[in-house]
Amino acid sequence: MSSPGTQIDPLDGVRILDLFAGPGGLDVAAHFLGHKSIGIEWDRNACATRYAAGLPTFHADVTVMRQTRFDEIPRSVDVLAGGPPCQSFSVAGRGAGRAALDTVKEFMRRLVSGEDEARIDEDLHSLNVDPRAALVLEPLRWLLKAIETKGRDPYRVIVLEQVPAVLPLWDVYAQLLRSGEGRLGGVKYEADCWELKTEQFGVPQTRTRAVLIARLVGSGAVSRPSTTHRSFDVRRGRGETHQTEAFTLESRPADKWVSMAEALDSADALPGSMVDMSRFHSKGRTDFFVVSNYGSNGNPKKRGRRLSSEPAFTVTGKVSRNKIYRTQVDFEENKFDRFTIAESGVLQTFPHNFPWSGNDQAQQVGNAVPPLLGMHVLSHALSGAAPSDTQLADSTTWPESSSDLTAHLRDIGCGDRTRCPEGSHKVSRTRRKPAP
């Protein structure tokens, strides 16, 4: 496995294109599986993290990149992956995208049927919905662009992920890909989609994602990725009192979900670790409980709790607002701690030393695909098998990238900044008070 810090040409042999790449969840997964990837990401903070990590990146708008810079995508790319922004579909959002699911399905069918795209865009922009809802169409448009561009081959594999509310759209994607009709020009895929729970793949948090996998017909059948751990019952009943004794690590079977304490203690034990759990040690083990920033059961004042011997709540961009208490006494006295960015990243299964950079780092962590889930999904999509034990063991530490590589990737991604998203590099300055 080559290090991103030792590659002579970052774009040589790239085979995975990651749309809406964020700080690199799928790219990190691809690296540990031995595949090179390049991401398209509009947020300059996420790009800063990607450059520091040695991940090839275009700092660009996905739509603009497809329309005007498609020829810059390496021709070696044969895997299309992506997770379009989920705010408009998320249960935590306003739900404009959920209300427009049927409308978006119709636009998908219109795109494949061959209707004029300018007319489709005009109709799309006239709708009173969150504009981000339309971005779920982008992977389909990239697929059609590849099929219709001379000198390009259809993507061999497609991997998409989103919040569970988008599963009906992935189902329509799968139907269209299997049909080969219209602009697909007879190109057919084996395709299917599912809801996957992250804790069933060893991720130390409860998070459900809608995932689609498609392979060109002739490349093998598509099946649901095999789970490695049990699911966690988020509806488990217990009183409001914090009861550590009933949920000890020692009583947990080996194939059960992975707890926060296990993940963080493992990271803490690594050489040069950026995670320090000593502040939570009690009687020979890491012991704490987390109070969520979000309400539960429709009551904004009722905050859920998770013990250190349980998986974390879904890691969102507000993860830094969760409060961590060592004891019930600390809770009653409001003496709390917070997860660091490195610790939050570990709960997302990023390596403990992943070089988070730029601003809004908590948001970057929360927006990312958990790399461990990505490894299972990508490995299954590409080879029909789970990641090897060696690949999983190697995924705990990130190889350091040289300053020369970071500078080179920044030049590839931003150059003179004239083609970056408009206004993305503007730096706000604090206004000085007028002299008295």
mmCIF file of all heavy atoms in Angstrom, residues 159-174:
data_model
loop_
_atom_site.group_PDB
_atom_site.id
_atom_site.type_symbol
_atom_site.label_atom_id
_atom_site.label_comp_id
_atom_site.label_asym_id
_atom_site.label_seq_id
_atom_site.Cartn_x
_atom_site.Cartn_y
_atom_site.Cartn_z
ATOM 1 N N VAL A 159 -21.216 3.859 -6.393
ATOM 2 C CA VAL A 159 -21.521 3.737 -4.965
ATOM 3 C C VAL A 159 -22.069 5.083 -4.488
ATOM 4 O O VAL A 159 -21.405 6.114 -4.612
ATOM 5 C CB VAL A 159 -20.277 3.371 -4.140
ATOM 6 C CG1 VAL A 159 -20.606 3.397 -2.643
ATOM 7 C CG2 VAL A 159 -19.744 2.001 -4.534
ATOM 8 N N LEU A 160 -23.287 5.087 -3.946
ATOM 9 C CA LEU A 160 -23.909 6.299 -3.452
ATOM 10 C C LEU A 160 -24.387 6.089 -2.019
ATOM 11 O O LEU A 160 -24.800 4.981 -1.656
ATOM 12 C CB LEU A 160 -25.105 6.701 -4.328
ATOM 13 C CG LEU A 160 -24.831 6.883 -5.826
ATOM 14 C CD1 LEU A 160 -26.131 7.199 -6.562
ATOM 15 C CD2 LEU A 160 -23.806 7.977 -6.065
ATOM 16 N N GLU A 161 -24.322 7.142 -1.220
ATOM 17 C CA GLU A 161 -24.814 7.036 0.160
ATOM 18 C C GLU A 161 -25.475 8.348 0.549
ATOM 19 O O GLU A 161 -25.116 9.419 0.074
ATOM 20 C CB GLU A 161 -23.684 6.659 1.123
ATOM 21 C CG GLU A 161 -22.603 7.706 1.322
ATOM 22 C CD GLU A 161 -22.953 8.762 2.365
ATOM 23 O OE1 GLU A 161 -23.634 8.431 3.352
ATOM 24 O OE2 GLU A 161 -22.553 9.927 2.165
ATOM 25 N N GLN A 162 -26.462 8.212 1.429
ATOM 26 C CA GLN A 162 -27.233 9.369 1.867
ATOM 27 C C GLN A 162 -27.974 8.998 3.149
ATOM 28 O O GLN A 162 -27.838 7.895 3.656
ATOM 29 C CB GLN A 162 -28.244 9.782 0.780
ATOM 30 C CG GLN A 162 -27.915 11.092 0.086
ATOM 31 C CD GLN A 162 -28.389 12.288 0.904
ATOM 32 O OE1 GLN A 162 -28.786 12.167 2.058
ATOM 33 N NE2 GLN A 162 -28.342 13.467 0.307
ATOM 34 N N VAL A 163 -28.756 9.945 3.657
ATOM 35 C CA VAL A 163 -29.599 9.660 4.825
ATOM 36 C C VAL A 163 -30.712 8.698 4.418
ATOM 37 O O VAL A 163 -31.058 8.582 3.240
ATOM 38 C CB VAL A 163 -30.199 10.958 5.396
ATOM 39 C CG1 VAL A 163 -29.112 11.841 5.966
ATOM 40 C CG2 VAL A 163 -31.007 11.704 4.345
ATOM 41 N N PRO A 164 -31.300 7.969 5.369
ATOM 42 C CA PRO A 164 -32.311 6.952 5.041
ATOM 43 C C PRO A 164 -33.483 7.469 4.228
ATOM 44 O O PRO A 164 -34.062 6.728 3.423
ATOM 45 C CB PRO A 164 -32.766 6.454 6.414
ATOM 46 C CG PRO A 164 -31.602 6.696 7.312
ATOM 47 C CD PRO A 164 -30.972 7.963 6.817
ATOM 48 N N ALA A 165 -33.853 8.749 4.404
ATOM 49 C CA ALA A 165 -35.007 9.286 3.680
ATOM 50 C C ALA A 165 -34.818 9.250 2.172
ATOM 51 O O ALA A 165 -35.787 9.340 1.414
ATOM 52 C CB ALA A 165 -35.279 10.719 4.127
ATOM 53 N N VAL A 166 -33.578 9.104 1.708
ATOM 54 C CA VAL A 166 -33.292 9.121 0.279
ATOM 55 C C VAL A 166 -33.368 7.722 -0.340
ATOM 56 O O VAL A 166 -33.268 7.562 -1.548
ATOM 57 C CB VAL A 166 -31.912 9.768 0.028
ATOM 58 C CG1 VAL A 166 -31.528 9.793 -1.440
ATOM 59 C CG2 VAL A 166 -31.914 11.198 0.558
ATOM 60 N N LEU A 167 -33.590 6.697 0.470
ATOM 61 C CA LEU A 167 -33.645 5.337 -0.061
ATOM 62 C C LEU A 167 -34.624 5.192 -1.230
ATOM 63 O O LEU A 167 -34.312 4.504 -2.211
ATOM 64 C CB LEU A 167 -33.982 4.338 1.049
ATOM 65 C CG LEU A 167 -33.824 2.862 0.680
ATOM 66 C CD1 LEU A 167 -32.368 2.534 0.382
ATOM 67 C CD2 LEU A 167 -34.342 1.965 1.800
ATOM 68 N N PRO A 168 -35.835 5.820 -1.206
ATOM 69 C CA PRO A 168 -36.726 5.707 -2.365
ATOM 70 C C PRO A 168 -36.102 6.248 -3.657
ATOM 71 O O PRO A 168 -36.385 5.742 -4.747
ATOM 72 C CB PRO A 168 -37.948 6.536 -1.957
ATOM 73 C CG PRO A 168 -37.936 6.514 -0.469
ATOM 74 C CD PRO A 168 -36.488 6.535 -0.091
ATOM 75 N N LEU A 169 -35.246 7.268 -3.545
ATOM 76 C CA LEU A 169 -34.571 7.785 -4.735
ATOM 77 C C LEU A 169 -33.505 6.817 -5.221
ATOM 78 O O LEU A 169 -33.333 6.616 -6.428
ATOM 79 C CB LEU A 169 -33.943 9.148 -4.444
ATOM 80 C CG LEU A 169 -34.904 10.276 -4.081
ATOM 81 C CD1 LEU A 169 -34.145 11.586 -3.909
ATOM 82 C CD2 LEU A 169 -35.991 10.433 -5.140
ATOM 83 N N TRP A 170 -32.783 6.204 -4.291
ATOM 84 C CA TRP A 170 -31.792 5.199 -4.695
ATOM 85 C C TRP A 170 -32.493 4.018 -5.369
ATOM 86 O O TRP A 170 -31.936 3.407 -6.286
ATOM 87 C CB TRP A 170 -31.002 4.715 -3.498
ATOM 88 C CG TRP A 170 -29.968 5.615 -2.908
ATOM 89 C CD1 TRP A 170 -29.286 5.384 -1.748
ATOM 90 C CD2 TRP A 170 -29.450 6.864 -3.409
ATOM 91 N NE1 TRP A 170 -28.396 6.404 -1.499
ATOM 92 C CE2 TRP A 170 -28.470 7.322 -2.505
ATOM 93 C CE3 TRP A 170 -29.730 7.643 -4.532
ATOM 94 C CZ2 TRP A 170 -27.768 8.518 -2.694
ATOM 95 C CZ3 TRP A 170 -29.041 8.842 -4.723
ATOM 96 C CH2 TRP A 170 -28.078 9.258 -3.816
ATOM 97 N N ASP A 171 -33.694 3.713 -4.942
ATOM 98 C CA ASP A 171 -34.445 2.627 -5.567
ATOM 99 C C ASP A 171 -34.769 2.966 -7.025
ATOM 100 O O ASP A 171 -34.670 2.108 -7.911
ATOM 101 C CB ASP A 171 -35.734 2.350 -4.785
ATOM 102 C CG ASP A 171 -36.454 1.106 -5.275
ATOM 103 O OD1 ASP A 171 -35.818 0.050 -5.384
ATOM 104 O OD2 ASP A 171 -37.667 1.193 -5.545
ATOM 105 N N VAL A 172 -35.128 4.224 -7.288
ATOM 106 C CA VAL A 172 -35.380 4.645 -8.668
ATOM 107 C C VAL A 172 -34.079 4.621 -9.464
ATOM 108 O O VAL A 172 -34.056 4.197 -10.626
ATOM 109 C CB VAL A 172 -36.023 6.042 -8.707
ATOM 110 C CG1 VAL A 172 -36.168 6.530 -10.151
ATOM 111 C CG2 VAL A 172 -37.387 6.016 -8.028
ATOM 112 N N TYR A 173 -32.976 5.089 -8.847
ATOM 113 C CA TYR A 173 -31.665 4.975 -9.489
ATOM 114 C C TYR A 173 -31.431 3.532 -9.931
ATOM 115 O O TYR A 173 -31.033 3.265 -11.073
ATOM 116 C CB TYR A 173 -30.563 5.374 -8.509
ATOM 117 C CG TYR A 173 -29.979 6.751 -8.682
ATOM 118 C CD1 TYR A 173 -30.564 7.855 -8.070
ATOM 119 C CD2 TYR A 173 -28.816 6.955 -9.410
ATOM 120 C CE1 TYR A 173 -30.008 9.122 -8.187
ATOM 121 C CE2 TYR A 173 -28.253 8.209 -9.544
ATOM 122 C CZ TYR A 173 -28.848 9.293 -8.928
ATOM 123 O OH TYR A 173 -28.297 10.548 -9.054
ATOM 124 N N ALA A 174 -31.640 2.588 -9.015
ATOM 125 C CA ALA A 174 -31.382 1.181 -9.313
ATOM 126 C C ALA A 174 -32.254 0.691 -10.472
ATOM 127 O O ALA A 174 -31.775 -0.024 -11.361
ATOM 128 C CB ALA A 174 -31.616 0.323 -8.063
#
